[in-house]
Amino acid sequence: MARDPEELLVKAFAALEREDAGKALELADSAIEGDPELAAAHQARALALAGLLRGEDAAEAFGRAVELDPDDPDVLFDAAEFFVCSGDADLVEQGLELAQSGRQLAEEDDDLELVAELFLIEAMGLNALGQHEDALEAAKSAGEELGERADVLAEEGSALFELSRFAEARATLERAVKLGPDDAWVQHLLGLVLERAGERYASEQRFARARELAPDDFPTPVHLSSADFDAALREAVALLPEEIRGHVATALVSVKELPDEHDLREHQGDHPLSPLMLGLFRGQSLRDAGATGDLPPAIFLFQRNLERMAGTREELIEQIRVTVLHEVGHLLGLSDEDLHERGLQ
């Protein structure tokens, strides 16, 4: 006698609660065999696959669940959270759309808690896409219902940090750490704020705690002396094509520990640049050669941010190489959109 898909589904979600992703997947697949159109079974299957770190399969399963029941806020919530946390820009955008759709449905159902949770996912997605002012508003909307919660304050603090509102970011993240001392992301964010404030010892304590809590997410970065970093820079430039090296020679290449206030406000009238940027081009591009009143071309590299991107010296050299290529693109007059198309954004 065939087993009831609904009964199998209840057991699949129970297995997920026990963090037994393998059993949950087995039960979800059995439920789908009994009823291929059961959206919640595909939802459970997707959650199990995510737990097994089978990201591509999970994305496909979430897509099927949403396709079968696009009006279920719970399905949209799980799918949106997965996509937003994927780290893939296209999936983040898809997750953001699902979160906004789910929030509208939850508002119709007057489910205020789910509305707030979806606002939080929106904040995460908007921060990931660099839309920090909108992320800040979404996080504040989430906090109105959810109250003082570490994950909500983390998104608020992250947005404030990216908007160069450092004092506000620090106050927000210090509250977040008190509420969630074992949240690695909160510890790391506060470390970034303290680093900018010049409190190196305190920041390193926060970074070390984040690594202790989530070593895969926050691996130990490379730390080089100024002389060793300059040597790594020379190695990276030597790996560039000869033509590109010629363009690098026309600009002053300078290394700073972190972007300063002037760097962050490089584009007057726009939003501040990210404090986590790896490099910056300043001056006249070769495309605009002949214009007057501009500064000589210069490429700045930000050592602490670059080191954070690498776990080995070889990875650091590669990241420096890519960053220099990116900034040389600006020297040649290419826009960020042009660089994105060339894989340098």
Side-chain angles (χ1 to χ4, degrees):
M1 179 178 177
R3 299 171 69 183
D4 180 11
E6 293 286 354
E7 179 184 340
L8 290 166
L9 185 57
V10 169
K11 292 181 178 179
F13 278 107
L16 288 169
E17 287 288 329
R18 299 193 306 271
E19 299 185 358
D20 188 349
K23 186 63 175 179
L25 179 59
E26 176 187 332
L27 291 162
D29 283 340
S30 296
I32 291 169
E33 287 179 14
D35 184 356
E37 304 300 304
L38 186 58
H42 291 275
Q43 176 189 9
R45 183 172 191 272
L47 290 167
L49 289 165
L52 294 169
L53 303 181
R54 293 170 55 181
E56 290 185 9
D57 293 334
E60 183 178 346
F62 274 124
R64 180 62 176 150
V66 171
E67 180 184 0
L68 288 168
D69 196 350
D71 295 325
D72 185 332
D74 291 321
V75 170
L76 295 179
F77 173 88
D78 283 337
E81 184 176 41
F82 174 79
F83 288 140
V84 162
C85 294
S86 69
D88 179 279
D90 292 334
L91 290 180
V92 171
E93 289 185 358
Q94 185 177 343
L96 186 56
E97 292 175 3
L98 294 174
Q100 292 167 341
S101 297
R103 176 167 55 79
Q104 292 170 3
L105 292 167
E107 287 171 349
E108 292 173 6
D109 294 339
D110 202 30
D111 189 340
L112 298 182
E113 184 175 354
L114 184 55
V115 168
E117 294 287 0
L118 284 160
F119 262 127
L120 176 57
I121 292 178
E122 283 186 54
M124 294 165 60
L126 290 163
N127 267 328
L129 294 175
Q131 300 174 35
H132 303 298
E133 289 188 350
D134 291 337
L136 181 59
E137 291 305 311
K140 287 181 178 296
S141 295
E144 289 174 4
E145 176 65 25
L146 300 176
E148 290 267 299
R149 219 171 72 178
D151 53 353
V152 175
L153 292 172
E155 294 308 317
E156 184 178 336
S158 177
L160 289 166
F161 174 76
E162 290 286 354
L163 293 169
S164 295
R165 293 164 61 177
F166 300 121
E168 294 171 79
R170 178 171 184 163
T172 299
L173 293 168
E174 285 176 342
R175 299 204 317 271
V177 164
K178 289 180 180 178
L179 292 167
D182 294 331
D183 187 317
W185 177 233
V186 169
Q187 293 282 354
H188 180 77
L189 284 171
L190 183 54
L192 293 174
V193 173
L194 294 171
E195 180 182 60
R196 279 210 60 85
E199 299 179 31
R200 180 63 60 84
Y201 178 74
S203 68
E204 288 298 337
Q205 284 186 310
R206 298 297 178 180
F207 292 143
R209 180 59 177 152
R211 289 195 295 272
E212 179 185 351
L213 292 166
D216 291 338
D217 294 331
F218 301 103
T220 302
V222 175
H223 284 312
L224 300 180
S225 67
S226 296
D228 286 341
F229 190 90
D230 288 341
L233 171 58
R234 289 194 296 272
E235 288 183 54
V237 171
L239 293 172
L240 297 171
E242 184 176 353
E243 179 184 358
I244 299 297
R245 291 202 304 272
H247 291 308
V248 173
T250 68
L252 171 67
V253 179
S254 181
V255 177
K256 297 183 178 182
E257 277 212 330
L258 293 168
D260 59 29
E261 190 68 23
H262 180 57
D263 299 324
L264 298 177
R265 301 290 177 181
E266 176 68 15
H267 299 298
Q268 296 298 323
D270 294 335
H271 301 306
L273 297 175
S274 172
L276 299 177
M277 62 180 165
L278 305 179
L280 176 68
F281 172 75
R282 182 180 292 149
Q284 183 183 45
S285 75
L286 298 180
R287 181 177 292 178
D288 298 327
T292 59
D294 287 320
L295 294 172
I299 292 172
F300 297 93
L301 299 179
F302 302 111
Q303 180 172 343
R304 298 283 292 181
N305 290 343
L306 282 159
E307 289 175 342
R308 235 186 302 277
M309 300 292 290
T312 66
R313 193 175 188 280
E314 291 70 27
E315 290 175 358
L316 176 60
I317 290 170
E318 174 61 15
Q319 190 61 64
I320 293 171
R321 186 189 70 83
V322 171
T323 302
V324 171
L325 270 175
H326 177 101
E327 303 310 332
V328 169
H330 286 311
L331 172 64
L332 296 175
L334 300 178
S335 67
D336 282 333
E337 290 76 16
D338 296 327
L339 293 168
H340 179 74
E341 291 175 1
R342 290 164 170 77
L344 294 173
Q345 179 68 310

Coordinates of all heavy atoms in Angstrom, one line a residue, residues 142-224:
A142 N 11.9 45.5 9.7 CA 11.9 44.2 10.3 C 12.0 44.4 11.8 O 11.3 43.7 12.6 CB 13.1 43.4 9.8
G143 N 12.8 45.3 12.3 CA 13.0 45.5 13.7 C 11.8 46.1 14.4 O 11.6 45.8 15.6
E144 N 10.9 46.8 13.7 CA 9.7 47.3 14.3 C 8.8 46.2 14.9 O 8.2 46.4 15.9 CB 8.9 48.1 13.3 CG 9.6 49.5 13.0 CD 8.9 50.2 11.8 OE1 7.8 49.7 11.4 OE2 9.4 51.3 11.4
E145 N 8.8 45.0 14.2 CA 8.0 43.9 14.7 C 8.9 42.9 15.5 O 8.4 42.4 16.5 CB 7.4 43.2 13.5 CG 6.6 41.9 13.8 CD 5.4 42.2 14.6 OE1 4.8 43.3 14.6 OE2 4.9 41.3 15.3
L146 N 10.1 42.7 15.1 CA 10.9 41.6 15.7 C 11.7 42.1 16.9 O 12.2 41.3 17.7 CB 11.9 41.1 14.7 CG 11.3 40.4 13.4 CD1 12.4 40.0 12.4 CD2 10.4 39.2 13.8
G147 N 11.8 43.4 17.0 CA 12.5 44.0 18.2 C 14.0 43.9 18.0 O 14.5 43.7 17.0
E148 N 14.7 44.1 19.2 CA 16.1 44.0 19.2 C 16.6 42.6 19.0 O 16.5 41.8 20.0 CB 16.6 44.6 20.5 CG 16.5 46.1 20.6 CD 17.7 46.9 20.2 OE1 18.7 46.7 20.7 OE2 17.5 47.7 19.2
R149 N 17.1 42.3 17.8 CA 17.5 40.9 17.6 C 18.9 41.0 16.8 O 19.0 41.9 16.0 CB 16.5 40.2 16.7 CG 16.3 38.7 17.1 CD 15.1 38.1 16.4 NE 15.4 37.9 15.0 CZ 14.5 37.3 14.1 NH1 13.3 36.9 14.6 NH2 14.8 37.1 12.9
A150 N 19.8 40.1 17.2 CA 21.1 40.3 16.6 C 21.2 40.2 15.1 O 21.9 41.0 14.5 CB 22.0 39.1 17.2
D151 N 20.4 39.4 14.5 CA 20.5 39.3 13.0 C 19.9 40.5 12.3 O 20.4 41.0 11.3 CB 19.8 38.0 12.5 CG 18.4 37.8 13.0 OD1 17.9 38.6 13.9 OD2 17.7 36.9 12.5
V152 N 18.9 41.1 13.0 CA 18.3 42.4 12.4 C 19.3 43.5 12.6 O 19.5 44.3 11.6 CB 17.0 42.7 13.2 CG1 16.4 44.1 12.7 CG2 15.9 41.6 12.9
L153 N 19.9 43.6 13.8 CA 20.9 44.7 14.0 C 22.1 44.5 13.1 O 22.7 45.5 12.7 CB 21.3 44.7 15.5 CG 20.2 45.1 16.4 CD1 20.6 44.9 17.9 CD2 19.8 46.6 16.2
A154 N 22.4 43.2 12.8 CA 23.6 43.0 11.9 C 23.4 43.6 10.6 O 24.3 44.2 10.0 CB 23.8 41.5 11.8
E155 N 22.2 43.4 10.0 CA 21.9 44.0 8.7 C 21.9 45.5 8.7 O 22.4 46.2 7.8 CB 20.6 43.5 8.1 CG 20.7 42.0 7.8 CD 21.8 41.6 6.9 OE1 22.1 42.3 5.9 OE2 22.5 40.5 7.2
E156 N 21.3 46.1 9.8 CA 21.3 47.5 10.0 C 22.7 48.0 10.1 O 23.1 49.0 9.5 CB 20.5 47.9 11.2 CG 20.3 49.3 11.4 CD 19.4 49.6 12.7 OE1 18.6 48.8 13.0 OE2 19.6 50.8 13.2
G157 N 23.5 47.4 10.9 CA 24.9 47.8 11.1 C 25.7 47.7 9.9 O 26.6 48.5 9.6
S158 N 25.5 46.6 9.1 CA 26.2 46.4 7.9 C 25.9 47.5 6.9 O 26.8 48.1 6.2 CB 25.9 45.1 7.2 OG 26.5 44.9 6.0
A159 N 24.6 47.9 6.8 CA 24.3 49.0 5.9 C 24.9 50.3 6.3 O 25.4 51.1 5.5 CB 22.7 49.1 5.8
L160 N 24.9 50.6 7.6 CA 25.4 51.8 8.2 C 26.9 51.9 7.9 O 27.5 52.9 7.5 CB 25.2 51.9 9.7 CG 23.7 52.2 10.1 CD1 23.5 51.9 11.5 CD2 23.3 53.6 9.7
F161 N 27.6 50.7 8.1 CA 29.1 50.7 7.8 C 29.3 51.0 6.3 O 30.2 51.8 6.0 CB 29.6 49.3 8.1 CG 31.0 49.0 7.8 CD1 32.0 49.6 8.5 CD2 31.3 48.3 6.7 CE1 33.4 49.4 8.2 CE2 32.7 48.1 6.3 CZ 33.7 48.6 7.1
E162 N 28.6 50.4 5.4 CA 28.8 50.6 4.0 C 28.5 52.1 3.6 O 29.0 52.6 2.6 CB 28.0 49.7 3.2 CG 28.5 48.2 3.2 CD 29.7 48.0 2.4 OE1 30.2 48.9 1.7 OE2 30.3 46.8 2.5
L163 N 27.6 52.7 4.3 CA 27.2 54.1 4.1 C 28.2 55.1 4.8 O 27.9 56.3 4.8 CB 25.8 54.4 4.5 CG 24.7 53.6 3.7 CD1 23.3 53.7 4.4 CD2 24.6 54.2 2.3
S164 N 29.2 54.6 5.4 CA 30.2 55.4 6.1 C 29.7 56.1 7.3 O 30.2 57.1 7.7 CB 30.9 56.4 5.1 OG 31.6 55.8 4.1
R165 N 28.6 55.6 7.8 CA 28.1 56.1 9.1 C 28.6 55.3 10.2 O 27.9 54.5 10.9 CB 26.5 56.1 9.0 CG 26.0 57.0 7.9 CD 24.6 56.8 7.5 NE 23.6 56.9 8.7 CZ 22.3 56.8 8.5 NH1 21.8 56.6 7.3 NH2 21.5 56.9 9.6
F166 N 29.9 55.4 10.5 CA 30.7 54.5 11.3 C 30.3 54.5 12.8 O 30.2 53.5 13.4 CB 32.2 54.7 11.1 CG 32.6 54.5 9.7 CD1 33.2 55.6 9.0 CD2 32.4 53.3 9.0 CE1 33.6 55.4 7.7 CE2 32.8 53.1 7.7 CZ 33.4 54.2 7.0
A167 N 30.0 55.7 13.3 CA 29.6 55.8 14.7 C 28.3 55.1 15.0 O 28.2 54.4 16.0 CB 29.6 57.3 15.2
E168 N 27.4 55.3 14.1 CA 26.1 54.6 14.2 C 26.2 53.1 14.0 O 25.6 52.3 14.7 CB 25.1 55.2 13.2 CG 24.7 56.6 13.3 CD 23.9 57.1 12.2 OE1 22.7 56.8 12.1 OE2 24.5 57.8 11.3
A169 N 27.1 52.7 13.1 CA 27.3 51.3 12.9 C 27.9 50.7 14.1 O 27.5 49.6 14.5 CB 28.3 51.1 11.7
R170 N 28.8 51.3 14.7 CA 29.5 50.8 15.9 C 28.5 50.6 17.0 O 28.4 49.5 17.7 CB 30.6 51.7 16.4 CG 31.3 51.2 17.6 CD 32.5 52.0 17.9 NE 33.2 51.4 19.1 CZ 34.5 51.7 19.4 NH1 35.2 52.6 18.6 NH2 35.1 51.2 20.5
A171 N 27.6 51.6 17.3 CA 26.7 51.5 18.4 C 25.7 50.4 18.1 O 25.3 49.6 19.0 CB 25.9 52.8 18.5
T172 N 25.3 50.2 16.8 CA 24.3 49.2 16.5 C 24.9 47.8 16.6 O 24.3 46.9 17.2 CB 23.8 49.4 15.0 OG1 23.2 50.7 14.9 CG2 22.9 48.3 14.6
L173 N 26.2 47.7 16.2 CA 26.8 46.3 16.2 C 27.2 46.0 17.6 O 27.3 44.8 18.0 CB 28.0 46.3 15.2 CG 27.6 46.4 13.8 CD1 28.8 46.7 12.9 CD2 26.9 45.1 13.3
E174 N 27.5 46.9 18.5 CA 27.8 46.6 19.9 C 26.6 46.1 20.5 O 26.7 45.2 21.4 CB 28.4 47.9 20.6 CG 29.8 48.2 20.2 CD 30.4 49.4 20.8 OE1 29.5 50.3 21.3 OE2 31.6 49.6 20.8
R175 N 25.4 46.6 20.2 CA 24.2 46.1 20.7 C 23.9 44.6 20.2 O 23.5 43.7 20.9 CB 23.0 46.9 20.4 CG 23.0 48.3 20.9 CD 21.7 49.0 21.0 NE 20.8 48.8 19.9 CZ 20.7 49.6 18.9 NH1 21.5 50.6 18.7 NH2 19.8 49.4 17.9
A176 N 24.3 44.4 18.9 CA 24.1 43.1 18.3 C 25.0 42.1 18.9 O 24.5 40.9 19.2 CB 24.4 43.2 16.8
V177 N 26.2 42.4 19.3 CA 27.1 41.5 19.9 C 26.6 41.1 21.3 O 26.7 39.9 21.7 CB 28.5 42.1 20.0 CG1 29.4 41.3 21.0 CG2 29.2 42.1 18.6
K178 N 26.1 42.0 22.0 CA 25.5 41.7 23.3 C 24.4 40.7 23.2 O 24.2 39.8 24.1 CB 25.1 42.9 24.1 CG 26.2 43.8 24.5 CD 25.7 45.1 25.2 CE 26.8 46.0 25.7 NZ 26.3 47.2 26.3
L179 N 23.6 40.8 22.2 CA 22.4 40.0 22.0 C 22.8 38.6 21.4 O 22.2 37.6 21.6 CB 21.4 40.6 21.1 CG 20.7 41.9 21.7 CD1 19.9 42.6 20.6 CD2 19.7 41.4 22.8
G180 N 23.9 38.6 20.5 CA 24.3 37.4 19.8 C 25.8 37.2 19.9 O 26.4 37.3 18.8
P181 N 26.3 37.0 21.0 CA 27.8 36.9 21.1 C 28.4 35.7 20.3 O 29.6 35.7 20.1 CB 28.0 36.7 22.6 CG 26.7 36.1 23.2 CD 25.7 36.8 22.3
D182 N 27.6 34.7 20.0 CA 28.1 33.6 19.2 C 27.7 33.7 17.7 O 27.7 32.7 17.0 CB 27.5 32.3 19.8 CG 28.0 32.0 21.2 OD1 29.1 32.5 21.5 OD2 27.3 31.4 22.0
D183 N 27.3 34.9 17.3 CA 27.0 35.1 15.9 C 28.3 35.6 15.2 O 28.8 36.7 15.4 CB 25.9 36.2 15.7 CG 25.5 36.4 14.3 OD1 26.3 36.4 13.4 OD2 24.2 36.5 14.1
A184 N 28.9 34.7 14.3 CA 30.2 35.0 13.7 C 30.1 36.3 12.8 O 31.1 37.1 12.8 CB 30.7 33.8 12.9
W185 N 29.0 36.5 12.1 CA 28.9 37.6 11.2 C 28.9 38.9 12.0 O 29.5 39.9 11.6 CB 27.6 37.4 10.4 CG 27.3 38.6 9.4 CD1 26.1 39.2 9.3 CD2 28.2 39.2 8.4 NE1 26.2 40.2 8.3 CE2 27.4 40.2 7.8 CE3 29.5 38.9 8.0 CZ2 28.0 40.9 6.7 CZ3 30.0 39.7 7.0 CH2 29.3 40.7 6.3
V186 N 28.2 38.9 13.1 CA 28.1 40.1 14.0 C 29.5 40.4 14.5 O 30.0 41.6 14.5 CB 27.1 39.9 15.1 CG1 27.3 41.0 16.1 CG2 25.7 39.9 14.6
Q187 N 30.2 39.4 14.9 CA 31.6 39.6 15.5 C 32.5 40.2 14.4 O 33.3 41.1 14.6 CB 32.2 38.3 16.0 CG 31.5 37.7 17.2 CD 31.9 38.4 18.5 OE1 32.8 39.3 18.5 NE2 31.3 38.1 19.6
H188 N 32.4 39.7 13.1 CA 33.2 40.1 12.0 C 32.9 41.6 11.7 O 33.8 42.4 11.5 CB 33.0 39.2 10.8 CG 33.8 39.6 9.6 ND1 35.2 39.3 9.5 CD2 33.5 40.3 8.5 CE1 35.6 39.8 8.4 NE2 34.6 40.4 7.7
L189 N 31.6 41.9 11.6 CA 31.2 43.3 11.3 C 31.7 44.3 12.3 O 32.2 45.4 11.9 CB 29.7 43.4 11.2 CG 29.0 42.8 10.0 CD1 27.5 42.7 10.2 CD2 29.4 43.6 8.7
L190 N 31.6 43.9 13.6 CA 32.1 44.9 14.6 C 33.6 45.0 14.5 O 34.2 46.1 14.7 CB 31.7 44.4 16.0 CG 32.2 45.3 17.2 CD1 31.7 46.7 17.0 CD2 31.6 44.7 18.5
G191 N 34.3 43.9 14.1 CA 35.7 44.0 13.9 C 36.1 45.0 12.8 O 37.1 45.7 12.9
L192 N 35.3 45.0 11.7 CA 35.5 45.9 10.6 C 35.4 47.4 11.1 O 36.2 48.2 10.7 CB 34.6 45.7 9.5 CG 34.7 44.3 8.7 CD1 33.6 44.2 7.7 CD2 36.1 44.3 8.0
V193 N 34.4 47.6 11.9 CA 34.2 49.0 12.4 C 35.3 49.4 13.3 O 35.8 50.5 13.2 CB 32.8 49.1 13.1 CG1 32.7 50.4 13.8 CG2 31.7 48.8 12.2
L194 N 35.7 48.5 14.2 CA 36.8 48.8 15.1 C 38.1 49.0 14.4 O 39.0 49.9 14.7 CB 37.0 47.7 16.2 CG 35.8 47.5 17.1 CD1 36.0 46.3 17.9 CD2 35.7 48.8 18.0
E195 N 38.3 48.2 13.3 CA 39.6 48.4 12.5 C 39.6 49.8 11.9 O 40.7 50.4 11.9 CB 39.5 47.3 11.4 CG 40.8 47.3 10.5 CD 40.7 46.3 9.4 OE1 39.7 46.4 8.6 OE2 41.5 45.4 9.3
R196 N 38.5 50.3 11.4 CA 38.5 51.6 10.8 C 38.7 52.7 11.8 O 39.3 53.7 11.5 CB 37.1 51.9 10.1 CG 37.0 51.3 8.7 CD 36.1 52.1 7.9 NE 36.6 53.4 7.7 CZ 37.5 53.8 6.8 NH1 38.0 53.0 6.0 NH2 37.8 55.1 6.7
A197 N 38.3 52.4 13.1 CA 38.6 53.4 14.1 C 40.0 53.3 14.6 O 40.4 54.1 15.5 CB 37.6 53.1 15.3
G198 N 40.8 52.4 14.1 CA 42.2 52.4 14.5 C 42.4 51.5 15.7 O 43.5 51.5 16.3
E199 N 41.4 50.8 16.2 CA 41.5 50.0 17.4 C 41.9 48.6 16.9 O 41.1 47.6 17.0 CB 40.2 50.0 18.1 CG 39.8 51.4 18.6 CD 38.5 51.4 19.4 OE1 38.2 50.4 20.0 OE2 37.8 52.5 19.3
R200 N 43.2 48.4 16.6 CA 43.6 47.2 15.9 C 43.5 46.0 16.9 O 43.1 44.9 16.4 CB 45.1 47.4 15.5 CG 45.7 46.2 14.8 CD 45.0 45.8 13.5 NE 45.1 46.9 12.6 CZ 46.1 47.2 11.8 NH1 47.2 46.4 11.8 NH2 46.1 48.2 10.9
Y201 N 43.9 46.1 18.1 CA 43.9 45.0 19.0 C 42.4 44.5 19.2 O 42.1 43.3 19.1 CB 44.5 45.3 20.4 CG 44.4 44.2 21.4 CD1 45.2 43.1 21.3 CD2 43.5 44.3 22.4 CE1 45.2 42.1 22.2 CE2 43.4 43.2 23.4 CZ 44.3 42.1 23.2 OH 44.2 41.1 24.1
A202 N 41.5 45.5 19.5 CA 40.1 45.1 19.7 C 39.5 44.5 18.4 O 38.7 43.5 18.5 CB 39.3 46.3 20.1
S203 N 39.9 45.0 17.2 CA 39.3 44.5 16.0 C 39.8 43.0 15.8 O 39.1 42.2 15.4 CB 39.7 45.4 14.8 OG 41.1 45.3 14.5
E204 N 41.1 42.8 16.1 CA 41.7 41.5 15.9 C 41.0 40.5 16.8 O 40.8 39.3 16.4 CB 43.2 41.5 16.1 CG 43.9 42.2 14.9 CD 43.8 41.5 13.6 OE1 43.4 40.3 13.6 OE2 44.0 42.2 12.6
Q205 N 40.6 40.9 18.0 CA 39.9 40.0 18.9 C 38.5 39.6 18.3 O 38.1 38.4 18.4 CB 39.7 40.7 20.2 CG 40.9 40.8 21.1 CD 40.6 41.3 22.5 OE1 39.9 42.4 22.6 NE2 41.0 40.6 23.5
R206 N 37.9 40.5 17.7 CA 36.6 40.3 17.0 C 36.7 39.3 15.8 O 36.0 38.4 15.6 CB 35.9 41.5 16.6 CG 35.5 42.5 17.8 CD 34.5 41.8 18.8 NE 34.3 42.7 19.9 CZ 33.5 42.4 20.9 NH1 32.9 41.2 20.9 NH2 33.3 43.2 21.9
F207 N 37.8 39.6 15.0 CA 38.0 38.8 13.8 C 38.4 37.3 14.3 O 37.9 36.4 13.7 CB 39.1 39.3 13.0 CG 38.8 40.6 12.3 CD1 39.8 41.6 12.2 CD2 37.6 40.9 11.8 CE1 39.5 42.8 11.5 CE2 37.3 42.1 11.1 CZ 38.2 43.0 11.0
A208 N 39.2 37.2 15.3 CA 39.5 35.9 15.8 C 38.3 35.1 16.3 O 38.2 33.9 16.1 CB 40.6 36.0 16.9
R209 N 37.4 35.8 17.0 CA 36.2 35.2 17.5 C 35.3 34.7 16.3 O 34.8 33.6 16.4 CB 35.4 36.2 18.4 CG 34.2 35.6 19.0 CD 34.4 34.4 19.8 NE 33.2 33.9 20.5 CZ 33.0 32.6 20.8 NH1 33.9 31.7 20.6 NH2 31.8 32.3 21.3
A210 N 35.2 35.5 15.3 CA 34.5 35.1 14.1 C 35.1 33.9 13.5 O 34.3 33.0 13.1 CB 34.4 36.3 13.1
R211 N 36.4 33.8 13.4 CA 37.1 32.7 12.8 C 36.8 31.4 13.7 O 36.6 30.3 13.2 CB 38.6 32.9 12.7 CG 38.9 33.9 11.6 CD 40.4 33.9 11.2 NE 41.2 34.3 12.3 CZ 41.6 35.5 12.6 NH1 41.1 36.5 11.8 NH2 42.4 35.9 13.6
E212 N 36.8 31.6 15.0 CA 36.6 30.5 15.9 C 35.2 30.0 15.7 O 35.0 28.7 15.8 CB 36.8 31.0 17.3 CG 36.6 29.9 18.4 CD 36.7 30.5 19.8 OE1 37.1 31.6 20.0 OE2 36.4 29.8 20.8
L213 N 34.2 30.8 15.6 CA 32.8 30.4 15.4 C 32.5 29.8 14.1 O 31.7 28.9 14.0 CB 31.9 31.6 15.7 CG 31.9 32.2 17.2 CD1 31.2 33.5 17.2 CD2 31.2 31.2 18.1
A214 N 33.1 30.4 13.0 CA 32.8 29.9 11.7 C 34.1 29.9 10.8 O 34.3 30.8 10.0 CB 31.7 30.8 11.1
P215 N 35.0 29.0 11.0 CA 36.3 29.0 10.3 C 36.1 28.9 8.8 O 37.0 29.4 8.1 CB 37.0 27.8 10.9 CG 35.9 26.9 11.5 CD 34.8 27.8 12.0
D216 N 35.1 28.2 8.3 CA 34.9 28.1 6.9 C 34.5 29.4 6.2 O 34.9 29.7 5.1 CB 33.9 27.0 6.5 CG 34.4 25.6 6.9 OD1 35.6 25.4 7.0 OD2 33.5 24.7 7.0
D217 N 33.7 30.2 7.0 CA 33.3 31.5 6.5 C 34.3 32.6 6.6 O 34.3 33.5 5.9 CB 32.0 31.9 7.2 CG 30.8 31.0 6.9 OD1 30.8 30.4 5.8 OD2 29.9 30.8 7.7
F218 N 35.1 32.5 7.7 CA 36.1 33.5 8.0 C 37.5 32.9 8.2 O 38.0 32.8 9.3 CB 35.7 34.3 9.2 CG 34.3 34.9 9.1 CD1 33.2 34.4 9.7 CD2 34.2 36.1 8.4 CE1 32.0 35.0 9.6 CE2 33.0 36.7 8.2 CZ 31.8 36.2 8.8
P219 N 38.1 32.4 7.1 CA 39.4 31.8 7.2 C 40.5 32.9 7.6 O 40.3 34.1 7.4 CB 39.7 31.3 5.8 CG 38.8 32.2 4.9 CD 37.6 32.5 5.7
T220 N 41.5 32.4 8.2 CA 42.6 33.3 8.6 C 43.2 34.0 7.4 O 43.7 33.3 6.4 CB 43.7 32.5 9.3 OG1 43.1 31.8 10.4 CG2 44.8 33.4 9.8
P221 N 43.2 35.3 7.4 CA 43.7 36.0 6.2 C 45.3 36.1 6.2 O 45.9 35.8 7.2 CB 43.2 37.4 6.4 CG 43.0 37.6 7.8 CD 42.7 36.2 8.4
V222 N 45.8 36.4 5.1 CA 47.2 36.7 5.0 C 47.6 38.0 5.6 O 46.8 39.0 5.4 CB 47.7 36.7 3.5 CG1 49.2 37.1 3.4 CG2 47.4 35.3 2.9
H223 N 48.6 38.1 6.4 CA 49.1 39.4 6.9 C 50.5 39.6 6.5 O 51.4 38.8 6.9 CB 48.9 39.5 8.4 CG 47.5 39.7 8.9 ND1 46.7 40.7 8.4 CD2 46.8 39.1 9.8 CE1 45.5 40.6 9.0 NE2 45.5 39.6 9.9
L224 N 50.8 40.6 5.7 CA 52.2 40.9 5.3 C 52.7 42.2 5.8 O 51.9 43.1 6.0 CB 52.2 40.9 3.7 CG 51.8 39.6 3.0 CD1 51.9 39.8 1.5 CD2 52.6 38.4 3.4

